[in-house]
Amino acid sequence: MRIIFHVDMDAFFVSVEELLDPSLKGKPVVVGGRPDQRGVVSAASYAVRKFGVHSAMPLKTAYKLCPHAIFLDGHPHLYREYSDKTYTVFQAFSPQVEMASIDEAYLDMTGTERLHGPPLAAAHKLHEKMKRETGLNCSVGIGASRLIAKVASDQAKPNGVLFVLPGLEARWLAPLDVRKIPGIGKVTEKRLHDFGIRKVGDLARLEEAFLDEHFGEWGRAMAGKARGEDAGSWFDGIVGEEEGPKSISHEHTFGQDTADRERLGATLARLCEMVGRRLREHGLFARTIQLKLRYKDFRTITRARTLDHATELDTEIHQEARALLEANWNGRPVRLLGVHASSLETQQGQLNLLEPERDARWSKALSAADRIRDRYGESAVSLATGLKGNFRERVHENPAGLPGKRPHRSR
């Protein structure tokens, strides 16, 4: 029988801020930016959640709900540092650890009973070790599948442990709202509600023909999840088995719409650096570079170019993205700028025939820059063109440098 833990750090960003400033404990705290900014809430303390504030909510909305909250920009480099510490704790309990994000992980605890005891005892040991070695609280969900473990950790919050016994998964899930199933968002939830499907048990009882007709392949996956199975998407994989991304992207929303050509160019360069860094982190090379441009009126355009060879170099990504910006920007104020890399390959392919030595030097230099960023933070090194485009990293979105995801750099 498989035993899977899902460990979710409680209000991770806020908790790290509380370690830095203990006076924040028990207060309504929002991490993500200032209330007059366009960003979203990265993390909310439990004290501010009572007012309806939650992650991914616009900062301005959070302020309206709780104007007396303390709004913080946050410290991304410290969040990565503490994520490393949590990873060290996880490794003490299982050789198979998969960081799902900067503040959550799956552990395959199958076969570790002789070392750590039965599941509940092991979870309490992990709980205590995490608090002792990091100063942070976590919630642990335990089940025979990743899906059950994840839903259980959510139900155990804050600072709890919940074990769903094997064979009782469907019964335990049945009374929960369908939104508790990972992958079911607002749109799918509304469609399910339209059919009178509000609880997980309602979903589990639907016939396959109905699901095929109205939801296609995703319908069958939802039904499998409603029974507690690891059905669909990344739930199908093995814990600790690394699967590279299908694409890599970063984007930035300006605090105020801008038509400043220099600022747009500098921001674009910084975004290209961020994309290049994550390509190298995964040992991947991109053949297609796409620009995303959103204007003041929210009209959004995307334009892409396919290279004759795959690349991981910030300089080449920037060259293509800049050409796309120059060809497609109409001079009007821009609200959002984004860079997206796709058609990912594990081999670089043919280097620039005219200047292969230059490309090799760039590759070594950028890998060295990545190592400096690992140690001193993302803003420690930047291309000259991107210096004026430096903006606060939103580490909760596709962060670079996740623990356990850095083995590919060999240069």
Side-chain angles (χ1 to χ4, degrees), residues 12-73:
F12 180 58
F13 298 165
V14 172
S15 298
V16 173
E17 296 295 334
E18 289 175 349
L19 291 177
L20 297 176
D21 182 2
S23 70
L24 294 173
K25 290 184 178 180
K27 295 180 180 178
V29 178
V30 172
V31 175
R34 304 300 171 179
D36 59 345
Q37 294 177 333
R38 282 178 169 169
V40 298
V41 175
S42 299
S45 68
Y46 288 101
V48 81
R49 294 183 194 185
K50 296 176 183 177
F51 296 89
V53 177
H54 57 78
S55 61
M57 170 184 285
L59 291 166
K60 292 180 180 179
T61 303
Y63 179 74
K64 289 179 181 178
L65 291 171
C66 189
H68 62 282
I70 301 168
F71 287 79
L72 304 174
D73 285 338

Side-chain angles (χ1 to χ4, degrees), residues 5 7 86-97 107-113 115-117 119 121-130 132-133:
F5 281 16
V7 185
T86 66
Y87 184 66
T88 299
V89 173
F90 298 148
Q91 286 186 306
F93 284 83
S94 174
Q96 290 180 275
V97 178
L107 285 68
D108 191 335
M109 297 291 290
T110 309
T112 65
E113 188 164 329
L115 188 61
H116 301 297
H124 285 294
K125 284 183 182 178
L126 189 154
H127 219 260
E128 293 169 359
K129 186 177 179 67
M130 183 66 72
R132 185 172 62 251
E133 299 195 4

Side-chain angles (χ1 to χ4, degrees), residues 239-313:
V239 172
E241 181 182 60
E242 187 172 350
E243 182 177 342
K246 305 300 181 185
S247 64
I248 288 173
S249 64
H250 280 283
E251 58 187 40
H252 176 64
T253 300
F254 295 99
Q256 291 184 329
D257 303 324
T258 182
D260 185 320
R261 184 178 295 274
E262 184 179 10
R263 188 180 180 196
L264 289 171
T267 301
L268 187 72
R270 177 71 183 116
L271 290 168
C272 291
E273 284 183 334
M274 295 167 76
V275 170
R277 167 142 158 74
R278 289 188 57 236
L279 283 169
R280 291 187 294 278
E281 181 177 88
H282 289 283
L284 295 171
F285 303 83
R287 189 174 285 275
T288 300
I289 305 300
Q290 178 178 287
L291 174 76
K292 182 178 180 180
L293 197 59
R294 178 170 294 156
Y295 291 108
K296 184 176 181 179
D297 61 1
F298 284 86
R299 187 171 70 89
T300 305
I301 65 169
T302 56
R303 298 290 185 271
R305 282 192 173 194
T306 298
L307 288 67
D308 58 4
H309 67 283
T311 185
E312 61 166 2
L313 300 182

Side-chain angles (χ1 to χ4, degrees), residues 313 348 351 355-365 411:
L313 300 182
Q348 185 169 13
L351 290 171
E355 299 183 86
E357 292 184 3
R358 181 205 64 180
D359 286 354
R361 288 196 301 271
W362 265 117
S363 184
K364 289 182 179 179
R411 290 180 291 276

